[in-house]
Amino acid sequence: MEFQCRDLCMQYHTRRGDTVVLRDVNFHVAEREFVCIVGPSGCGKTTLLRLVAELIQPSSGDIVFSNRTRADWSRIAIVFQDHGLLPWLTVFQNVAFGLRLLGIGRHECQSRTDAYIGKVGLASCADRYPYQLSIGMQQRVGIARALVTDPELLLMDEPFGSLDAQTKLIMQDELVQLLHANEKSVVFVTHDITEAVRLGDRVLVMADRPGHIREEIVVPLARPRASVFAKSREAEELERRIWSMLEDEVRKSLGIGE
Amino acid sequence: MSKNGQRSFWIPEYVFSILLTVAMVALWEWLVRAGKVSALFFPAPSTIVRTSLRLISAGELTPHLKATLYRVGLGGVIGAAAGVALGVLMGWSCRIRNIVDPFVAAIHPIPKIAVFPVVMVIFGIGETSRVLVVAIAAFFPILINTVLGVRQINPRYFEVAANYNAGPVQVLRRVIVPGSLPFVLAGLRIGGNVAFLMTIAVEMVGVETGLGKMIWFSWETLRTENLYVCLGIIAILGIGFNAVLYFLSLRFCHWQIDRGDNETR
């Protein structure tokens, strides 16, 4: 799903004055494009994603979805860092949650849910509850719940942020595989530069105070890409470039070496 | 469970509860028979059991029990329904909460038995007033727990529902009801016990039937064994009520109870 953010601003009014979270954010995501957003923590990455999902409204500016309105709800799905699984539902019920709310019939719901639980390798855990799963398994359920409605735009908010380094690598592979057969537009927020360069067609580098897009970097490598260990020289070069930009920002946010 | 898997030395806790109960009853029986305590004020357990069997078979107990259960049941259900309904609204809407909260804060600390005369002035000296005051007493703990139960639901779950365009009815059914249930059940447990308390208290003033009336009458006529029979019955009803809620929470709220480590429970 193609869309464009135009002059997005976001500010909160508090008693101690206004806090500007985002200022003049402009970017465009093309059909089937995988866009990663990196930036120092607190720079408004998550806010930006929530704006695109219309969970919150911008103070000014707008988001234009080409050829259809956002009102067509089944077309956008979100994967949260904390997975947001409902603890009182089983794995099956969690994956089916969106389908049920969108009014998909019981029969179709059953078959589509089973299929996606199988795809993320949790067929044997369908009747378990989230608290009985590891964090990696929980996030796989979160991804299955997002993909099962076959959205055209997938918003992922640091989906692998709370996983350990090894699980993260496996999950990246799985995500690449899942999306390979059925490509979607993806906006993927992360603070992991390697992850961003590995997964994205483009990387938006954000800066802080107020949050804005500092630079847009095209990753000129064909997708799907091989595992991190077969990293090309270009990828390494890109990572170094992104880090050189981010390093300033992170240092600033830590209050050291301006 | 014991450490190092030493199951052979492990005795379940309920064994101690039973042993303790048996020991206390035996001690009581012995103290009375040995004449160490007054049999008039502390009739022996055997006397109490014999009395209760006699009262039940003579049909003296049934009308009192029925009247009490009617008041607790009806009052409790009315209080619970109102408390859960208003609690959900207050938990859901910040505006409603801000409007209603001062009233709750003002009325909640007033002992509800003190409101009984006022209620009687308005609704007359009859069953309506009694049931109503029981309902009012049960209402507050259930209301407060329900508000808390709705508010502690992770806002993320509302976002997940919103992402799939859920309407208010669906949010209520799929997020609010299941998410707040553990707290609502805890509230029902407190509210139910308060309803019992209030019923017995109300029955001590100016009614013809009810366990509270029977307790007070037994005391005035110094038939203390009848009094103890009533206390025993109330205790049994309480155990039953709490057990029902315990099993409901095991059945529907295991996801909250089982969260984290199972070992320490």
Side-chain angles (χ1 to χ4, degrees):
Chain A
M1 180 189 283
E2 192 174 2
F3 72 95
Q4 186 156 22
C5 292
R6 296 193 304 206
D7 302 325
L8 279 185
C9 289
M10 189 69 202
Q11 49 188 335
Y12 293 110
H13 304 282
T14 58
R15 271 180 212 154
R16 281 179 292 170
D18 291 356
T19 313
V20 182
V21 184
L22 293 173
R23 178 176 291 162
D24 296 334
V25 173
N26 285 288
F27 69 97
H28 163 262
V29 173
E31 199 76 44
R32 296 187 180 157
E33 193 183 19
F34 199 121
V35 174
C36 291
I37 301 178
V38 292
S41 28
C43 72
K45 300 182 295 254
T46 297
T47 308
L48 185 55
L49 208 66
R50 287 158 57 86
L51 281 169
V52 175
E54 289 196 349
L55 290 173
I56 48 175
Q57 295 299 316
S59 308
S60 66
D62 53 9
I63 302 167
V64 186
F65 293 89
S66 68
N67 63 42
R68 55 179 72 79
T69 58
R70 174 66 177 85
D72 200 351
W73 288 89
S74 63
R75 306 203 174 271
I76 299 184
I78 315 176
V79 177
F80 300 96
Q81 178 179 359
D82 59 9
H83 61 72
L85 299 178
L86 304 177
W88 50 85
L89 299 182
T90 62
V91 167
F92 180 91
Q93 290 166 329
N94 264 295
V95 175
F97 186 74
L99 291 173
R100 301 290 297 156
L101 281 178
L102 294 169
I104 310 281
R106 199 168 284 271
H107 208 71
E108 193 189 340
C109 195
Q110 171 89 35
S111 59
R112 280 169 74 173
T113 305
D114 282 340
Y116 267 92
I117 291 177
K119 277 187 191 179
V120 296
L122 291 172
S124 58
C125 306
D127 293 326
R128 293 217 212 150
Y129 287 85
Y131 67 84
Q132 297 166 322
L133 304 177
S134 69
I135 302 176
M137 288 158 105
Q138 288 172 347
Q139 194 52 285
R140 266 145 67 190
V141 180
I143 291 171
R145 177 177 66 187
L147 290 177
V148 74
T149 53
D150 196 20
E152 290 180 23
L153 172 60
L154 188 60
L155 304 174
M156 306 184 84
D157 186 6
E158 298 193 21
F160 307 145
S162 49
L163 303 181
D164 65 78
Q166 287 118 42
T167 310
K168 188 178 192 170
L169 292 180
I170 306 241
M171 294 285 287
Q172 288 172 358
D173 288 341
E174 286 189 1
L175 181 67
V176 167
Q177 270 175 15
L178 278 171
L179 292 177
H180 184 55
N182 183 5
E183 285 212 56
K184 303 164 184 315
S185 302
V186 182
V187 179
F188 189 103
V189 168
T190 178
H191 49 237
D192 182 337
I193 298 168
T194 311
E195 185 172 71
V197 171
R198 182 178 175 208
L199 295 173
D201 292 315
R202 253 186 317 142
V203 179
L204 306 178
V205 182
M206 286 187 74
D208 206 352
R209 288 167 215 217
H212 61 278
I213 290 172
R214 178 170 159 170
E215 188 132 356
E216 182 187 320
I217 289 170
V218 177
V219 183
L221 303 167
R223 281 200 295 135
R225 293 173 199 138
S227 98
V228 267
F229 301 108
K231 194 158 37 177
S232 67
R233 180 160 285 155
E234 288 137 292
E236 266 179 52
E237 188 50 47
L238 282 175
E239 283 177 29
R240 204 169 298 133
R241 240 180 89 199
I242 295 171
W243 173 237
S244 68
M245 273 178 251
L246 274 182
E247 193 177 2
D248 295 349
E249 297 296 333
V250 176
R251 279 183 190 282
K252 259 189 255 171
S253 72
L254 290 171
I256 43 176
E258 297 258 332
Chain B
M1 200 173 292
S2 71
K3 281 177 188 171
N4 311 325
Q6 294 173 332
R7 269 164 184 269
S8 47
F9 298 112
W10 186 63
I11 302 165
E13 288 91 340
Y14 69 83
V15 171
F16 292 101
S17 305
I18 292 171
L19 285 178
L20 200 60
T21 312
V22 170
M24 286 193 303
V25 170
L27 178 69
W28 183 355
E29 184 80 34
W30 175 77
L31 284 171
V32 177
R33 292 200 177 193
K36 308 267 183 200
V37 297
S38 152
L40 179 60
F41 295 116
F42 303 100
S46 55
T47 318
I48 296 169
V49 172
R50 228 178 299 124
T51 311
S52 53
L53 291 177
R54 183 173 53 78
L55 287 174
I56 292 166
S57 60
E60 274 183 57
L61 193 69
T62 328
H64 295 292
L65 185 60
K66 269 188 184 163
T68 297
L69 283 178
Y70 169 77
R71 289 171 193 133
V72 171
L74 192 58
V77 167
I78 292 170
V84 169
L86 185 60
V88 166
L89 288 177
M90 284 174 70
W92 203 349
S93 153
C94 181
R95 178 163 285 178
I96 296 178
R97 183 167 64 248
N98 288 340
I99 294 169
V100 181
D101 244 354
F103 296 98
V104 175
I107 302 170
H108 185 214
I110 298 174
K112 300 306 167 299
I113 190 72
V115 184
F116 189 39
V118 183
V119 174
M120 280 197 295
V121 167
I122 302 169
F123 293 94
I125 307 166
E127 211 55 47
T128 315
S129 297
R130 288 172 209 131
V131 169
L132 204 63
V133 84
V134 171
I136 293 170
F139 169 79
F140 282 95
I142 295 169
L143 173 80
I144 285 163
N145 264 50
T146 306
V147 174
L148 190 67
V150 176
R151 293 197 68 193
Q152 58 78 42
I153 297 173
N154 187 342
R156 178 72 80 226
Y157 305 151
F158 291 94
E159 290 183 353
V160 172
N163 184 231
Y164 297 108
N165 200 22
V169 177
Q170 286 172 315
V171 172
L172 182 70
R173 195 178 131 211
R174 296 184 184 273
V175 179
I176 291 182
V177 169
S180 63
L181 198 60
F183 285 73
V184 172
L185 286 181
L188 287 177
R189 194 167 167 182
I190 304 170
N193 288 321
V194 170
F196 259 108
L197 202 101
M198 191 53 58
T199 304
I200 302 299
V202 163
E203 284 172 348
M204 286 185 174
V205 278
V207 287
E208 291 309 309
T209 51
L211 291 175
K213 154 81 178 177
M214 198 174 162
I215 288 173
W216 198 246
F217 187 70
S218 310
W219 166 242
E220 285 184 321
T221 55
L222 279 185
R223 274 187 278 182
T224 40
E225 65 278 11
N226 288 13
L227 189 154
Y228 282 94
V229 169
C230 291
L231 294 186
I233 284 165
I234 294 167
I236 290 166
L237 290 176
I239 290 173
F241 175 72
N242 284 298
V244 167
L245 281 174
Y246 176 70
F247 284 112
L248 281 178
S249 67
L250 274 192
R251 170 74 182 76
F252 293 108
C253 306
H254 58 91
W255 53 272
Q256 209 197 30
I257 299 162
D258 283 354
R259 203 192 274 166
D261 53 344
N262 297 320
E263 293 294 307
T264 51
R265 285 192 315 114

